[in-house]
Amino acid sequence: MRYKLRNGLAFCVTGGRTIFLDVAADRYFGLRPEWDAAFRRYLEDKEDGPGIKPLLRGHILVMADEGEPFSQQAVIPPARREVLAEPGHRLNGRSLLFILAQFRAMLDLRFRRFERIISGIADRSQGLGVVGWNCPDLREWRPIVGAFAASAPLRPRNTHCLTNSIAFMDMALSARLPAKLILGVSASPFSAHCWVQAGDTVLNDRLENISAFEPILAI
């Protein structure tokens, strides 16, 4: 029998265990050790085994048609570069738009389902034809990155990675600059983080801040 990951689930293997993200439920979770081992065995050899039944009962795996991929997840390239704001970048009109984008992100996270938020980002990205991981022209990004940094003292929740990243994506897509919102996790102890990335370049964070996190989903 062939199986696939249930729609709406994302996963990564980090710290010796599998972490899942249920997008619709907006929650991360892990499996019992014996279920985790069965999942990773199937991931490696795609052969049925005695540990598959609990994964089917738990709706982690579902039946797949011939030729259907195991998962719709994109392969996320490792981040190797970052864009730093130039010193002394002053507030400008784009900085003020960042503040408004931050308020919109806060309201969205408070009143809208996470699934709807990332679906909206994905739809806007597809409208720009963002399908791959082309390396960005950093010259195009520096005004955005500078405005983001300059607006930080005036942006509410400016240390909250998800609010920051949703606002950054809003501004990037409005400028018709392709990027991806990345969600990452660390297993020991469990923690989650997110950032915006174009190609192998982190745009709204530092490499040292994301290095402990394994990407689990890109939007």
Side-chain angles (χ1 to χ4, degrees):
M1 303 294 291
R2 290 181 55 83
Y3 307 102
K4 66 174 184 177
L5 194 69
R6 170 172 63 82
N7 290 341
L9 277 188
F11 78 96
C12 69
V13 178
T14 179
R17 58 182 295 201
T18 311
I19 303 295
F20 293 86
L21 169 61
D22 186 331
V23 175
D26 187 13
R27 73 181 184 98
Y28 295 96
F29 65 94
L31 301 175
R32 296 178 182 176
E34 62 272 25
W35 296 6
D36 191 312
F39 178 83
R40 283 191 280 163
R41 280 197 301 271
Y42 185 78
L43 195 61
E44 291 175 3
D45 55 34
K46 299 298 187 295
E47 292 184 4
D48 208 338
I52 291 295
K53 288 184 178 180
L55 300 175
L56 294 170
R57 288 197 301 267
H59 301 290
I60 305 298
L61 299 180
V62 296
M63 300 292 294
D65 295 328
E66 187 67 31
E68 196 172 5
F70 177 76
S71 170
Q72 299 294 330
Q73 285 182 245
V75 176
I76 303 169
R80 304 186 188 279
R81 300 187 294 171
E82 61 188 35
V83 182
L84 300 179
E86 296 177 0
H89 197 96
R90 296 182 178 180
L91 283 172
N92 56 26
R94 183 170 276 156
S95 303
L96 299 178
L97 291 176
F98 256 116
I99 296 170
L100 293 176
Q102 191 91 352
F103 275 108
R104 283 196 299 270
M106 289 172 56
L107 291 173
D108 280 349
L109 288 169
R110 183 173 179 83
F111 295 111
R112 297 180 66 200
R113 292 175 57 189
F114 180 66
E115 182 182 32
R116 296 289 299 275
I117 295 171
I118 65 171
S119 176
I121 293 172
D123 289 345
R124 291 180 67 190
S125 294
Q126 290 174 4
L128 294 182
V130 181
V131 295
W133 289 91
N134 295 330
C135 291
D137 182 345
L138 299 186
R139 292 171 299 179
E140 293 182 323
W141 284 103
R142 293 199 185 280
I144 296 280
V145 172
F148 176 75
S151 65
L154 300 177
R155 282 187 284 110
R157 302 197 77 190
N158 65 5
T159 61
H160 187 251
C161 64
L162 185 56
T163 307
N164 284 342
S165 296
I166 290 173
F168 194 99
M169 280 295 296
D170 185 3
M171 290 292 294
L173 294 172
S174 295
R176 303 190 64 79
L177 293 174
K180 298 284 189 179
L181 177 68
I182 311 295
L183 281 72
V185 293
S186 177
S188 301
F190 176 81
S191 58
H193 190 47
C194 69
W195 61 93
V196 178
Q197 185 173 324
D200 64 353
T201 304
V202 178
L203 299 169
N204 71 329
D205 210 334
R206 303 293 303 271
L207 286 171
E208 63 190 44
N209 294 337
I210 73 166
S211 61
F213 297 92
E214 182 72 21
I216 191 170
L217 182 65
I219 303 105

